[in-house]
Amino acid sequence: MNGRALYVDPALYSRVFPPDAGEAAFFTALLKAVPPGAAVLDAGCGTASLAAMLPLQVVGLDRCRELLRAAPAPVQTVEADLTALPFRKGTLGGAFSRLFGYGYALGEVPGWAAAIAEELGRVLRPGAPVALEVPLAHRPSRLQGIEERAVLPGGLAYRFRYLDVLEETAFGTVLATRIEVRDPAGEEWHLAAPLHVYTPEGARAWLAHAGITEVRFHAPYDLASGTAEPPEDCLRAVAVGVHQRKSVRIMLPAQRAIT
Ligand SMILES: C[S@@+](CC[C@H](N)C(=O)[O-])C[C@H]1O[C@@H](n2cnc3c(N)ncnc32)[C@H](O)[C@@H]1O
């Protein structure tokens, strides 16, 4: 078993997370209010292959140098951490990310979710549209023990498991998770990491912390599904909103570790 290779090896990553034209059209439509020429952040862009399909001035940001090296030439990329964005206040015309909350940035370290919201709120212009995919569940702790399996193109067997509940936060629940991928030749990779699953009200509070309001949720990547209240069984959702002039800072209660 290879450990972190899944989020480091661009060839493997592209097989597990291939972008498609439907996703590109979805984000393009949600970002149509971006003023011409304004920079749009792809927050945790991976190999930036989705960013390359958007007719926008995208800046792909990721902390993984190996994935960024595989980015298509026209996409501008920057190696940085979402907790310390290398942009000036109010300079970005929009932000998006496919599989954003699944990048683990929001659950890896206690307090990171709030720090990332504050950074996004700082760098976005007033009126900037935002479309970020987050894991969403009305009762996240009930996911414990659930697993998802799929066979991906090329015969890759994919298995995702929700394990122990690690902590309750102001926005939802952090669970231990594990991804396993096996190719037809029997080679296997895995990634074990904490995942921050949001409640709908938690996602709203997190976005409000970034100054993002007028929030609605879409089941990915379906423009027709936009709703203020996601259905009970909506696990993956793209949260869509607009950055306001003023951030709505919420008082964050201390995180509660589950023992
Ligand atoms: C599930 S991948 C999704 C990538 C891309 N949005 C896509 O659709 O292919 C999540 C990405 O977030 C990046 N990431 C996770 N935590 C990060 C952090 N704190 N700062 C910057 N990038 C981060 C990972 O390196 C990974 O490339």
Side-chain angles (χ1 to χ4, degrees):
M1 281 261 192
N2 289 302
R4 292 189 66 83
L6 185 59
Y7 271 16
V8 175
D9 174 352
L12 175 64
Y13 179 90
S14 305
R15 289 167 73 193
V16 178
F17 304 111
D20 69 34
E23 291 166 356
F26 173 85
F27 283 111
T28 301
L30 292 173
L31 296 167
K32 64 177 184 299
V34 174
V40 175
L41 175 68
D42 183 348
C45 63
T47 56
S49 50
L50 179 64
M53 296 166 79
L54 269 54
L56 293 163
Q57 196 72 37
V58 178
V59 181
L61 180 141
D62 206 283
R63 67 180 173 185
C64 178
R65 182 173 305 175
E66 289 83 354
L67 293 180
L68 289 176
R69 276 205 196 108
V75 183
Q76 191 192 334
T77 58
V78 51
E79 181 188 338
D81 201 285
L82 288 161
T83 54
L85 295 175
F87 307 109
R88 288 201 309 277
K89 187 171 188 282
T91 50
L92 297 184
F96 74 98
S97 185
R98 180 182 72 148
L99 295 166
F100 175 65
Y102 298 84
Y104 300 109
L106 299 175
E108 223 166 47
V109 176
W112 267 19
I116 291 170
E118 282 159 26
E119 275 297 83
L120 276 175
R122 182 181 66 79
V123 300
L124 289 168
R125 287 184 190 178
V130 175
L132 298 168
E133 185 177 355
V134 290
L136 199 72
H138 286 262
R139 292 209 237 154
S141 58
R142 291 177 63 181
L143 295 170
Q144 195 171 355
I146 288 179
E147 73 171 52
E148 300 164 1
R149 287 173 187 256
V151 178
L152 305 175
L156 284 182
Y158 175 89
R159 183 182 185 212
F160 183 97
R161 283 187 288 158
Y162 294 94
L163 304 169
D164 298 337
V165 169
L166 299 177
E167 62 187 335
E168 302 292 347
T169 75
F171 311 115
T173 300
V174 180
L175 291 103
T177 65
R178 185 177 170 91
I179 304 176
E180 292 164 4
V181 177
R182 184 161 32 82
D183 76 7
E187 193 172 358
E188 295 189 358
W189 300 268
H190 76 272
L191 180 70
L195 183 71
H196 202 153
V197 182
Y198 285 53
T199 59
E201 31 324 329
R204 281 177 198 287
W206 182 77
L207 289 159
H209 202 63
I212 297 161
T213 59
E214 298 173 39
V215 173
R216 65 184 194 278
F217 298 98
H218 286 262
Y221 295 95
D222 175 11
L223 282 171
S225 71
T227 167
E229 268 312 304
E232 189 68 40
D233 60 354
C234 184
L235 189 51
R236 288 178 62 179
V238 180
V240 175
V242 178
H243 184 253
Q244 302 299 323
R245 196 170 291 274
K246 282 196 172 158
S247 294
V248 185
R249 290 294 155 86
I250 58 167
M251 289 298 290
L252 295 174
Q255 295 190 192
R256 188 157 57 82
I258 307 292
T259 49

